[in-house]
Amino acid sequence: MEQKFVQQENLIKLPIGTSDYKEIVDEGYAYVDKTLVIRDLLESGSKATLFTRPRRFGKSLLLSTLRTFFEDERDLDGQKIDNSHYFQGTRIYPYIEKYAGHFGTHPVIYLSFKDIVNGPFESAYISIKNLIVDEFTRHDYILQSDKISERNKKRYDALADGTAGKEDYFTSLKFLSRQLEAYSGRKTVVLIDEYDVPLACAYDNGFYDDMVSFIRILLSSVLKDNPSLAFAVVTGCLRISRESIFTGLNNLTVRSILNRDFDEYFGFMEDEVRSLLDEADLADHMSQVREWYDGYLFGDTEIYNPWSILYYIDEHKSNKDAEASTYWSNTSANSIVRSLIERSSATARQNLETLLQGGQIEVPVREDMVYSDISARPENLWNMLFFTGYLTKVSETVRDGARYITLRIPNREVRSIYADTITEWFGDTVENDVDKVSLSRCLAAGDNAGAQKIFNDLLFRTISFHDSKESFYHGFLSGLLTQLPEYSASSNREIGDGRPDICLMPLDPQKDPVVIMEVKSLPADRACDMDKGADRALEQIAKKRYEKGAGLLKGSRVIAYGICFCGKSCIIKKLPD
């Protein structure tokens, strides 16, 4: 597929941090041409369309493109702004004559909720109110016209200067659309970006019902039975239940990541990624990019994460040997992953471990959700992870009239997000839930059975994702033993003829012994050999003379432990005196 890439001085310029279509064209940034979405949107004939896609997959850029194409844009004096040059050479340009009745002819209402303040209801309401005020101010050139009645001008002024009542702002968008039609003689296009961000904020901060009422009235009034509406496009991550937001809105068409229609217009397809890499002289990086950022399936189309692709190219065009990294996780708090982990049942933990080991799970599809019900049933959380990009579809089936999807983690980047989140959660669990005083006493007293019980209790509660690698268990111990009362912990400190995995140095050598630990690990299918693994650890301690080396500290006794981990179990043995 032929793509358009704008370059400057033969160096690819990337639109890092911007989703404004005009700015991308004006500044000569690389642009993967998605303008044919305009054709498909007009041909669909939908009065109101809701696109649900994960964060940072091009929803804001899509609406900015639509606004530039459809809007009869005016300056402060009401003079028309010509935007036709923004589409010259694009894929929609051959269709301009066909859609001349729409190109630059509609008034547009555009609101983006993506930066709504995360706080109490009043703060969130004021943020939305300010967006509405700005949109009224942007269009206040219409007040110069005698087509707007004096009474409506007064109401308009109150909404524009922020002095209108709260109830007036609930229905303000419908009022604005009618005044724009009265002025221009053309019906209004309504574009709402990230409509569900205020709902997520409300859910996190305890005022969900109040925000649902506000958003329901605000959107329904302008989208339902509004004779001044040409059409509307709304974007978000989730399709919030019709009963809670889009009550009675029968003209709404939902296009989610399960739909084939419009599947190619969000994110990058493989040929688009190849073209970008070629432009950046990074064609030989394709396999690494595929491993890290591919794996999404929108409809039937394979999709790469566009945000991560741009950041990857930006980092690697000046340093081709840089490691691949996780970029997408920096775009939002990964609270839903943390929520899944914290609330997980034994079955949910097992499913998550299956996913982290490269496996798949199957759940019933729930496209329409209510935030308050997300944690009510396990499948709700899996669906939320799917629709927000943390899982991807492998296949889909219908059984007994119910729709099911098979899910997996899409790529290495997302897997690392799970790993980082689990590690952070585990660290908090160790910090808050482990009786470190008891653990310290067990280790100092040579009570290997007591220490083993504490370790196993904690391992049982965590989520395995490291394939039983010794490095994970080493980190497990380091985190567990940090800030242990009466001790300071160090790893791989030179003692005797080598470097034991963990060394606990007593703050008072006259009171407490030095504690040495050597760690071994076994794969899950070798649990029967754990006893031997602990013996091998003790043999290494003796062979490397760790105990004698640590004993050179004046006045210090030494206790040495051999530990063998396997899955979520461990055996601890003490070196005989």
Side-chain angles (χ1 to χ4, degrees):
M1 184 181 299
E2 182 180 356
Q3 302 298 327
K4 176 189 175 185
F5 297 100
V6 183
Q7 299 183 74
Q8 186 177 41
E9 299 176 354
N10 296 321
L11 293 176
I12 189 170
K13 292 181 62 178
L14 301 168
I16 302 294
T18 182
S19 55
D20 183 275
Y21 178 76
K22 282 188 175 183
E23 181 181 352
I24 289 172
V25 175
D26 287 339
E27 298 298 324
Y29 290 120
Y31 172 61
V32 177
D33 193 334
K34 303 285 188 178
T35 55
L36 281 183
V37 68
I38 297 166
R39 176 199 65 189
D40 292 357
L41 190 63
L42 289 172
E43 294 296 328
S44 75
S46 297
K47 193 72 171 179
T49 303
L50 169 62
F51 289 111
T52 60
R53 292 295 188 278
R55 301 263 183 262
R56 304 295 190 180
F57 270 75
K59 299 188 298 294
S60 297
L61 178 56
L62 167 74
L63 292 195
S64 178
T65 305
L66 296 180
R67 175 181 168 182
T68 306
F69 184 89
F70 289 109
E71 186 165 34
D72 178 10
E73 190 174 0
R74 303 282 170 155
D75 63 19
L76 296 177
D77 297 321
Q79 299 300 308
K80 185 176 179 64
I81 297 173
D82 183 9
N83 290 325
S84 59
H85 64 285
Y86 285 104
F87 294 94
Q88 291 180 1
T90 63
R91 297 176 68 196
I92 192 62
Y93 194 74
Y95 299 88
I96 291 292
E97 184 175 347
K98 179 178 180 180
Y99 301 122
H102 294 286
F103 185 32
T105 63
H106 291 278
V108 171
I109 295 174
Y110 175 85
L111 294 178
S112 176
F113 293 157
K114 63 182 180 180
D115 296 320
I116 293 301
V117 173
N118 190 3
F121 173 73
E122 194 61 29
S123 297
Y125 164 74
I126 290 173
S127 294
I128 297 174
K129 173 184 170 181
N130 288 340
L131 292 174
I132 295 171
V133 167
D134 289 345
E135 195 65 4
F136 270 80
T137 302
R138 189 172 75 88
H139 289 293
D140 65 6
Y141 56 85
I142 71 174
L143 299 178
Q144 303 171 24
S145 172
D146 58 8
K147 297 177 181 178
I148 310 299
S149 71
E150 290 301 317
R151 182 177 65 179
N152 285 335
K153 285 181 180 180
K154 289 181 181 180
R155 182 180 176 187
Y156 193 108
D157 282 334
L159 288 163
D161 62 23
T163 59
K166 183 175 289 187
E167 295 77 10
D168 293 315
Y169 286 100
F170 278 39
T171 57
S172 58
L173 298 185
K174 183 175 185 178
F175 173 75
L176 179 57
S177 70
R178 289 186 171 182
Q179 304 318 302
L180 289 171
E181 184 188 23
Y183 171 83
S184 66
R186 297 282 295 176
K187 294 185 184 298
T188 304
V189 172
V190 176
L191 306 173
I192 307 292
D193 193 25
E194 303 286 12
Y195 87 98
D196 55 339
V197 168
L199 302 175
C201 294
Y203 178 67
D204 290 339
N205 291 279
F207 54 90
Y208 183 72
D209 290 342
D210 290 335
M211 185 56 72
V212 164
S213 296
F214 181 24
I215 298 298
R216 179 196 297 129
I217 299 172
L218 182 71
L219 297 187
S220 293
S221 66
V222 71
L223 301 182
K224 177 186 177 184
D225 299 329
N226 180 6
S228 297
L229 177 68
F231 64 88
V233 178
V234 182
T235 71
C237 279
L238 297 173
R239 170 185 168 184
I240 304 304
S241 174
R242 291 173 185 259
E243 287 71 29
S244 63
I245 295 296
F246 302 113
T247 304
L249 194 61
N250 297 323
N251 63 343
L252 180 69
T253 302
V254 180
R255 307 290 187 185
S256 76
I257 56 178
L258 290 171
N259 297 115
R260 297 177 181 176
D261 296 339
F262 299 91
D263 55 7
E264 71 269 35
Y265 295 125
F266 299 89
F268 294 158
M269 295 184 290
E270 178 152 329
D271 60 330
E272 295 168 340
V273 174
R274 286 187 182 277
S275 296
L276 282 169
L277 292 175
D278 285 344
E279 293 292 327
D281 194 25
L282 294 171
D284 57 339
H285 287 230
M286 188 66 197
S287 60
Q288 185 180 59
V289 166
R290 184 183 296 111
E291 177 187 3
W292 275 81
Y293 313 114
D294 187 17
Y296 300 94
L297 192 65
F298 293 174
D300 291 332
T301 301
E302 179 183 355
I303 295 295
Y304 288 69
N305 185 322
W307 175 269
S308 298
I309 293 297
L310 293 178
Y311 272 84
Y312 178 94
I313 293 174
D314 187 56
E315 183 172 335
H316 286 77
K317 66 181 183 180
S318 58
N319 181 12
K320 294 186 177 182
D321 296 326
E323 295 292 329
S325 185
T326 302
Y327 306 108
W328 190 56
S329 65
N330 296 327
T331 66
S332 63
N334 301 305
S335 57
I336 55 175
V337 176
R338 179 71 180 249
S339 175
L340 170 65
I341 295 167
E342 290 179 337
R343 303 176 188 179
S344 59
S345 63
T347 300
R349 286 198 301 269
Q350 183 177 357
N351 284 338
L352 186 53
E353 289 173 0
T354 296
L355 290 166
L356 288 163
Q357 292 163 8
Q360 304 171 1
I361 64 171
E362 185 184 68
V363 299
V365 177
R366 282 290 308 277
E367 281 199 74
D368 55 336
M369 302 186 201
V370 178
Y371 268 98
S372 56
D373 292 338
I374 284 173
S375 60
R377 300 170 65 182
E379 59 264 31
N380 291 347
L381 271 174
W382 298 120
N383 273 268
M384 187 175 185
L385 290 168
F386 168 56
F387 285 108
T388 52
Y390 292 95
L391 295 173
T392 192
K393 183 182 75 172
V394 177
S395 61
E396 187 176 341
T397 187
V398 177
R399 294 198 307 271
D400 300 325
R403 192 177 179 190
Y404 291 83
I405 48 174
T406 299
L407 301 172
R408 64 174 176 83
I409 295 175
N411 52 48
R412 189 168 171 180
E413 178 182 45
V414 178
R415 187 178 187 277
S416 71
I417 293 173
Y418 281 100
D420 291 345
T421 305
I422 291 170
T423 300
E424 179 184 334
W425 163 79
F426 177 73
D428 291 345
T429 300
V430 169
E431 182 68 27
N432 299 321
D433 298 343
V434 175
D435 185 350
K436 293 188 176 182
V437 173
S438 295
L439 177 58
S440 181
R441 289 173 180 171
C442 288
L443 293 173
D447 183 5
N448 54 299
Q452 179 176 301
K453 184 180 185 304
I454 293 173
F455 285 6
N456 280 325
D457 287 346
L458 186 57
L459 283 168
F460 178 77
R461 285 186 285 159
T462 191
I463 295 167
S464 175
F465 64 97
H466 286 280
D467 301 323
S468 299
K469 290 183 179 178
E470 191 170 306
S471 59
F472 164 67
Y473 296 114
H474 191 283
F476 168 88
L477 284 176
S478 297
L480 181 59
L481 301 174
T482 299
Q483 300 178 352
L484 200 65
E486 313 301 335
Y487 281 99
S488 65
S490 62
S491 300
N492 297 313
R493 175 175 176 172
E494 187 172 352
I495 293 176
D497 297 330
R499 298 176 182 271
D501 288 322
I502 302 288
C503 182
L504 298 179
M505 290 296 180
L507 301 181
D508 183 358
Q510 302 301 319
K511 177 182 176 183
D512 297 304
V514 174
V515 177
I516 298 293
M517 297 181 183
E518 187 64 30
V519 179
K520 301 298 179 183
S521 68
L522 295 171
D525 60 354
R526 292 186 58 194
C528 60
D529 294 329
M530 290 177 64
D531 198 71
K532 295 179 181 178
D535 287 338
R536 288 204 317 274
L538 292 178
E539 290 170 4
Q540 181 172 332
I541 291 172
K543 182 178 180 180
K544 297 290 186 180
R545 300 192 299 172
Y546 295 153
E547 188 182 21
K548 290 183 179 180
L552 295 177
L553 294 171
K554 291 183 178 180
S556 293
R557 296 178 293 113
V558 179
I559 296 178
Y561 295 102
I563 307 176
C564 183
F565 290 94
C566 181
K568 292 189 175 185
S569 299
C570 79
I571 287 179
I572 302 179
K573 289 190 173 184
K574 184 170 73 75
L575 191 71
D577 296 332

